[in-house]
Amino acid sequence: MTDGESARIARILNGLPTAARELLLETDWNSLQHAYGPAEDVPITLCSLVDEEPGVRSKALAALDMAVHQGSLYTVTAPVALFVAAILDHPMGLTEHEGHFPWDGGPPRSLRAALLIWLGQVAESAAYGENPARDRTHWQWEPWHDETRREHGPDEIAALHACRGIRPALYNAVEPLLTAADPHVREAALGAAVPLLSTPELADRVPQAAALLRTRLGAASVEARRERAGVARAFGVWGVDTSDLLTDSDPAVRVCAALGPDRLDRPRALAVLLDALRDPRATDGWFPDPLPGLDGWFRFTVLRSALALAESFDEVAPVAVAIVAAGGGSCTDHERGPILFRAFPGGYDPAHPLTSAQRDLLRAFVDTDEATGGIAGNRLWFRAAGLPEDRDGIAALL
């Protein structure tokens, strides 16, 4: 490190909040690991997050994504997350975040919003595996995930438990920003709060969070759609009663209110979801930029939630069969596959005749197979459902 770099780091250290400075100086970074090895370089990265130079901040943010949480948790992730939480109110947080990678698009947002988004991603990773039923509603879940999940090593287990253990501290830093003046910061804070408050140990914090957010539901306008829908989804995930929102004037809000895993009004929630799936392109158009925590086309999340909410395949069969019959507009792993797996939840049993709904579904696969690869392209899903993996085998069942 040059004299100039040393002076820069010393200047940044002096301007850090006490909690952040103590964490930085008292942590044994050399004993921790990130994606590329020992984390001895992390202190400079963390100081660079609040550097006066935009390019330096951007590079430091990229390092958080690439090394500290690359879709996985490392032993360094928890202390870094605590540091990030401690600098959320740093004056530099008001500066605009500059994208580092070519794919860093979207509207301009502050450094504070970018840090909150990163904390939300860490919280999502920490929550994965705690509630298998909730995990299976994720738009990317596939049945063979559970079968092929490998054993975690000691460092991975330690990293996971460490990240789960700091969730109360992270939420304490996030909660005040749920009512921030900047709408991008509010959205990012909500995106972090959703997985943080999904753990039972923080259930007692949900009523206060819901009270803070409920005021955001009052502005029924097109401009307010995104925020109102995000709040409705959060309530559903947290188990807050969203029955009143199932009749909201905005269809996007109604659908987000129906996404939660626990429904007090299951039939009405399912009807809302199925109605949205009848015009999936319009549903996708509600959120061209995905809501926090929801990647991919919005219809994928709506479909998974409807399949999980249905007590039997018959309840969703008309809409599900129509999606498969649409052929090329249907996506293998995110639409046709999950529909097939829901139709045969315990696997196909030759001893039991096909139901009318199952027969209609398989016929739709056969009829669209040549044009779309409807069976060949879904081979793993057919295998998971205990069905033949070729067109002739399926046709023989009909």
Side-chain angles (χ1 to χ4, degrees):
M1 185 183 301
T2 66
D3 291 343
E5 290 172 331
S6 297
R8 177 178 70 90
I9 297 300
R11 184 174 64 254
I12 291 174
L13 276 172
N14 289 334
L16 288 176
T18 301
R21 184 169 58 253
E22 290 179 350
L23 184 71
L24 197 68
L25 296 176
E26 296 175 6
T27 301
D28 182 6
W29 300 102
N30 291 345
S31 68
L32 303 175
Q33 297 280 320
H34 54 47
Y36 303 110
E40 57 192 14
D41 56 336
V42 165
I44 293 179
T45 295
L46 297 183
C47 286
S48 297
L49 286 171
V50 291
D51 192 277
E52 295 178 355
E53 174 58 45
V56 174
R57 295 195 302 272
S58 175
K59 187 176 180 180
L61 280 167
L64 293 189
D65 286 332
M66 298 301 294
V68 179
H69 176 249
Q70 197 184 79
S72 300
L73 303 175
Y74 306 94
T75 53
V76 78
T77 308
V80 168
L82 288 172
F83 178 90
V84 168
I87 63 169
L88 286 176
D89 58 355
H90 192 283
M92 199 60 68
L94 299 174
T95 59
E96 187 172 301
H97 161 49
E98 182 177 297
H100 181 76
F101 300 110
W103 55 85
D104 284 343
R109 58 177 185 250
S110 67
L111 172 67
R112 184 168 296 152
L115 293 175
L116 284 165
I117 289 171
W118 185 82
L119 286 176
Q121 293 167 347
V122 171
E124 290 278 1
S125 294
Y128 188 79
E130 283 186 310
N131 185 334
R134 182 181 63 209
D135 293 342
R136 286 194 289 272
T137 64
H138 190 278
W139 71 280
Q140 287 185 308
W141 180 86
E142 296 166 337
W144 46 92
H145 281 177
D146 292 340
E147 299 173 5
T148 59
R149 188 177 295 172
R150 62 182 178 83
E151 292 292 327
H152 292 295
D155 283 351
E156 293 173 302
I157 294 173
L160 177 61
H161 288 309
C163 288
R164 288 178 176 176
I166 64 171
R167 287 183 291 197
L170 297 185
Y171 183 70
N172 285 340
V174 168
E175 186 182 68
L177 298 174
L178 290 174
T179 54
D182 184 340
H184 297 304
V185 170
R186 289 199 304 271
E187 177 174 296
L190 181 59
V194 168
L196 287 171
L197 292 188
S198 296
T199 177
E201 65 183 303
L202 288 177
D204 62 329
R205 306 292 297 273
V206 169
Q208 171 66 15
L212 290 172
L213 293 168
R214 194 166 287 280
T215 59
R216 298 293 172 184
L217 293 171
S221 66
V222 175
E223 293 75 16
R225 161 179 281 179
R226 186 176 179 87
E227 185 164 18
R228 297 181 71 245
V231 170
R233 174 184 173 254
F235 284 1
V237 172
W238 295 336
V240 176
D241 183 9
T242 58
S243 298
D244 59 322
L245 297 175
L246 293 175
T247 56
D248 192 87
S249 60
D250 190 326
V253 175
R254 294 197 298 270
V255 169
C256 284
L259 293 178
D262 301 314
R263 294 262 52 91
L264 297 177
D265 191 346
R266 191 195 69 82
R268 188 165 52 159
L270 181 58
V272 166
L273 296 175
L274 293 178
D275 188 57
L277 291 170
R278 291 186 176 91
D279 190 356
R281 296 300 178 270
T283 299
D284 284 339
W286 294 338
F287 308 113
D289 184 25
L291 293 174
L294 299 181
D295 295 320
W297 291 110
F298 186 54
R299 71 179 188 271
F300 297 158
T301 294
V302 176
L303 175 62
R304 291 291 182 115
S305 296
L307 296 176
L309 196 57
E311 291 183 345
S312 70
F313 181 66
D314 286 0
E315 285 191 306
V316 296
V319 170
V321 171
I323 290 173
V324 173
S330 179
C331 298
T332 298
D333 288 328
H334 308 315
E335 289 182 309
R336 291 192 301 250
I339 287 170
L340 182 73
F341 194 69
R342 181 64 185 85
F344 297 88
Y348 168 64
D349 183 355
H352 293 85
L354 295 174
T355 67
S356 176
Q358 289 172 331
R359 191 176 297 276
D360 289 345
L361 177 65
L362 294 182
R363 172 59 63 188
F365 273 102
V366 169
D367 289 346
T368 61
D369 185 52
E370 291 184 4
T372 68
I375 295 174
N378 289 263
R379 183 171 287 114
L380 290 176
W381 288 96
F382 275 86
R383 184 182 305 165
L387 288 159
E389 300 171 29
D390 59 89
R391 186 178 190 276
D392 291 342
I394 295 298
L397 300 178
L398 301 175

